């Protein structure tokens, strides 16, 4: 659901466990999962998880520069 478009939309809050050293939270739109690579394969949630796991533990700034 797009945020802010439907005036009667209802949203819920969710609590997550505290983050530890090396943990990351990645926010992305559905457009990422609908994108295709040169071979025509979707960049689905499993590929996003593998991509994230390939990065070394670093600061947020280091991660942003590497991504």
């Amino acid at each position: 659901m797009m945020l802010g478009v439907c005036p009667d939309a209802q949203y819920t809050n969710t609590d997550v466990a505290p983050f530890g050293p090396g943990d990351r939270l990645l926010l992305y739109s559905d457009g990422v999962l609908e994108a295709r690579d040169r071979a025509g394969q979707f960049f689905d949630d499993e590929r996003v998880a593998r991509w994230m796991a390939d990065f070394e533990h670093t600061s947020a700034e280091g991660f942003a520069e590497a991504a």
Side-chain angles (χ1 to χ4, degrees):
M1 175 183 305
M2 296 187 325
L3 296 175
V5 174
C6 303
D8 298 325
Q10 299 203 3
Y11 305 97
T12 59
N13 293 328
T14 301
D15 292 324
V16 295
F19 286 89
D23 288 348
R24 297 185 183 113
L25 173 66
L26 175 66
L27 303 175
Y28 56 90
S29 75
D30 60 341
V32 171
L33 302 181
E34 294 171 356
R36 294 177 187 245
D37 63 13
R38 291 185 179 128
Q41 296 179 336
F42 284 106
F43 198 61
D44 60 19
D45 55 347
E46 290 178 18
R47 288 183 70 190
V48 171
R50 286 194 309 268
W51 174 73
M52 287 289 294
D54 286 344
F55 284 99
E56 294 181 23
H57 295 286
T58 185
S59 67
E61 293 82 9
F63 174 74
E65 289 177 16

